[in-house]
Amino acid sequence: MKKIMTAILCLIGTGLFAQGTTDPRLKGLDTLVKRILKDWYAPGVSIAVVEKNKVVYAGGFGFRDLEKKLPVTGNTLFAIGSCTKAFTASLLGMLEKEGKLELDKPATQYLPELGFHNEYLNNHVTLRDMMTHRTGLPRHDMSWYGSSASRMELLKRIKYQEPSKELRQSFQYNNFMFLAQGMVAEKLTGKSWEQNIRERILQPLEMSTTNFSVKDMEKSADRSPAFTVKKDSIISVIPYRNIDAIGPAGSINSSANDMAKWLITWINGGKYKGKEIIPAGYVSQAISQQMALDGGGLPPALHPDIHMEAYGLGWFLSSYRGHYRVEHGGGIDGFITSTGFFPTDSIGIFVVSSNGNVTALVRNYIADRMLKLPNRNWNQLQLDARAKGRAAAAATKKTNSDSLLRKSNAKALHAKADYAGKYENPGYGTATVKLERDTLWLDYNSGGKQTSYLEHYHFDVYKVRDMENPDDNATRIKFNTNYGGEIESFDVALEQGVKEIVFRREAPAMEISKAELQKYLGEYQLPGILANVYLRGENTLMLLVPGQPDYELVPVKKDLFKIKALEGFNIQFDLNDKGEVTSMNAIQPNGVFKAPKK
């Protein structure tokens, strides 16, 4: 990871800025952006401003490469994150016009592979519910973020993800629902989501630089790296986050020049150069309130003229200083984007940078200028808010309640090696705990990098610590012990409003030959029942208890097997000095039952 000490003022002062726009409303934009980049330690920003059918400005300020001092241009590629959602939702609007689907029909009717947590949701969640984030499911983002799971694998996790609200009760942002929409389009058209978007939107709009993956983005000479800021003085280049699997929710990369065409299309009711690209009927629905949001974004006492928030179809709707605004943000590692337009004013604005404050401030300043609104010092307001936030964070750190919760001198209940293993949750995938250098490491969606280690808290509770960003309020995980005294799972709070996510430990793979399994075969006398252990196929040990289904026995340790279909049930065989099996112990939650071999 490259670290470059910021001399932002010096870098900006080199004059490598895009030329100013000729529109008098944006006079002095370069000076304004220069100040914002300096105050918020951002290397560069890309901007597009459109009005009716005209591009007022499309270009950039600052640098896409700090070392080589390469400037941001109108064609510089940036990840637009969740601004992708309007593209995916528009695709479904096109398919509806073609008669291939109805937005108010159950989604599972079009995508049988999709399943929800219960049958009621399976039968009642519509495509419109998914498009408006009102399915009752919270984000569950930790399931996909950083995961190597495929698109289909992620889709199949949805059925195991617990809702936190009733259907249509509340707005709850959910990326999985847009993944599913993309897969609906794939199912109905026989083409990938990417191919659909390219053929139906990008090509007609002449969006020639836009692509769908950071793999393609890396091939471009004119692209921005992903940046992060540390300690307000160090800009670091970080790796691109590959989110191809969840692509319909946020994987598009684009430029100011291309996004200007996208905005012009929306301002003109779905038409580009006089030709309808997005159905007019769908456009009307998309920018109309479909779902109310709970509460507002900014404090009304501070911003009384910014109010009303709702969600359309792939767009947030709000009132901005008395003007009707349609907008969506996007955020993925190193990029923060805003794409929006004012339908009644026919003005559109696209801004992307590596810093969320830069994106929002530049967007608001441009909106105020284009709408001829009274000047408001957005930058100073945000600087003041940052200072207050830091003061509050410092005070919170001093009064951290962590020490009040922790039981002092409460040692771990197991040796470190006992916690190691693979743990799985069907809705969240696999987590691996490893013991290396006398330290427990947690690998979950890290691609094997193991950046998190486990710090003992008390008893069987550990804190998940990050090597680069230690946090006193770090996530805790609680390991659970079965009746046999072995670690069988861990609980972790990954999503608010639902029960803790339980990752169950996978039995380590153990190879046993057919010859070795032979010694376990035979009949065993349980109280009043004669059980039978037999082989199915070459090397699968089975247990038959009269009146019950046949159970597969999975080897865990020498002479110890777990019953695959019954959590917490194990079979331990006893051997004599000659190595002959003499009895079988059925280890169950309600006790241990010995069955002599007949």
Side-chain angles (χ1 to χ4, degrees), residues 320-479:
Y320 176 84
R321 305 189 72 178
H323 292 258
Y324 172 29
R325 181 172 71 181
V326 177
E327 190 265 352
H328 210 292
I332 195 66
D333 301 34
F335 301 97
I336 303 293
T337 310
S338 173
T339 305
F341 58 101
F342 297 86
T344 55
D345 300 285
S346 298
I347 290 171
I349 302 169
F350 166 79
V351 182
V352 58
S353 76
S354 60
N355 185 296
N357 289 297
V358 170
T359 298
L361 294 173
V362 171
R363 176 199 64 199
N364 287 358
Y365 273 119
I366 291 175
D368 291 350
R369 297 280 192 88
M370 295 299 294
L371 297 170
K372 299 181 180 179
L373 297 171
N375 180 60
R376 175 171 287 168
N377 194 339
W378 292 104
N379 193 34
Q380 192 56 52
L381 286 170
Q382 198 60 33
L383 289 170
D384 292 344
R386 179 175 68 177
K388 290 179 181 179
R390 287 176 174 173
T396 301
K397 190 172 182 179
K398 290 179 181 178
T399 59
N400 193 294
S401 61
D402 187 68
S403 59
L404 300 177
L405 300 173
R406 188 174 188 175
K407 302 295 183 184
S408 59
N409 300 319
K411 296 181 179 180
L413 302 180
H414 293 78
K416 289 180 180 178
D418 293 344
Y419 299 102
K422 285 188 175 182
Y423 297 78
E424 185 177 15
N425 177 280
Y428 276 74
T430 301
T432 303
V433 177
K434 298 179 181 179
L435 177 60
E436 293 181 2
R437 305 186 301 278
D438 199 37
T439 299
L440 287 172
W441 297 84
L442 178 66
D443 179 4
Y444 177 66
N445 287 353
S446 74
K449 296 177 182 177
Q450 295 182 209
T451 57
S452 300
Y453 65 96
L454 299 181
E455 178 186 276
H456 184 248
Y457 185 68
H458 62 206
F459 302 115
D460 276 343
V461 179
Y462 284 77
K463 275 188 171 184
V464 181
R465 293 290 203 175
D466 189 284
M467 291 292 289
E468 297 183 354
N469 300 298
D471 180 5
D472 287 336
N473 295 310
T475 298
R476 299 183 186 93
I477 67 175
K478 178 174 70 69
F479 289 95

Side-chain angles (χ1 to χ4, degrees), residues 511-521 535-541:
E511 295 290 335
I512 299 183
S513 68
K514 181 178 180 179
E516 293 229 2
L517 291 174
Q518 292 284 346
K519 65 184 178 185
Y520 303 115
L521 306 184
L535 270 179
R536 185 177 68 189
E538 287 294 314
N539 55 3
T540 301
L541 201 64

Side-chain angles (χ1 to χ4, degrees), residues 25 48-57 86 90 205 258-280 282-284 286-287 315 324-327 339-350 366 370-371:
R25 288 169 294 183
V49 184
V50 302
E51 186 172 26
K52 297 181 180 177
N53 287 308
K54 176 186 175 184
V55 178
V56 176
Y57 176 80
S90 296
L205 297 188
D258 273 9
M259 291 302 287
K261 299 167 185 174
W262 176 240
L263 286 171
I264 284 174
T265 304
W266 279 92
I267 288 172
N268 289 279
K271 291 184 177 180
Y272 181 70
K273 293 186 177 181
K275 181 181 178 181
E276 183 177 87
I277 307 301
I278 306 171
Y282 170 78
V283 170
S284 178
I287 64 174
W315 293 103
Y324 172 29
R325 181 172 71 181
V326 177
E327 190 265 352
T339 305
F341 58 101
F342 297 86
T344 55
D345 300 285
S346 298
I347 290 171
I349 302 169
F350 166 79
I366 291 175
M370 295 299 294
L371 297 170

Side-chain angles (χ1 to χ4, degrees), residues 80-94 131 133 173 175 178 181 193 197 201-202 205 207 247-252 259 262-263 265-266 277-279 282-283 286-287 311-317 326-330 339-341:
I80 69 169
S82 286
C83 295
T84 299
K85 289 181 170 63
F87 289 81
T88 298
S90 296
L91 173 58
L92 265 63
M94 295 173 184
M131 296 168 84
H133 303 287
Y173 196 83
N175 286 295
F178 275 78
Q181 290 171 60
W193 168 78
I197 297 295
I201 297 177
L202 301 188
L205 297 188
M207 296 176 67
S251 71
I252 287 179
M259 291 302 287
W262 176 240
L263 286 171
T265 304
W266 279 92
I277 307 301
I278 306 171
Y282 170 78
V283 170
I287 64 174
Y311 202 80
L313 303 178
W315 293 103
F316 285 96
L317 316 175
V326 177
E327 190 265 352
H328 210 292
T339 305
F341 58 101

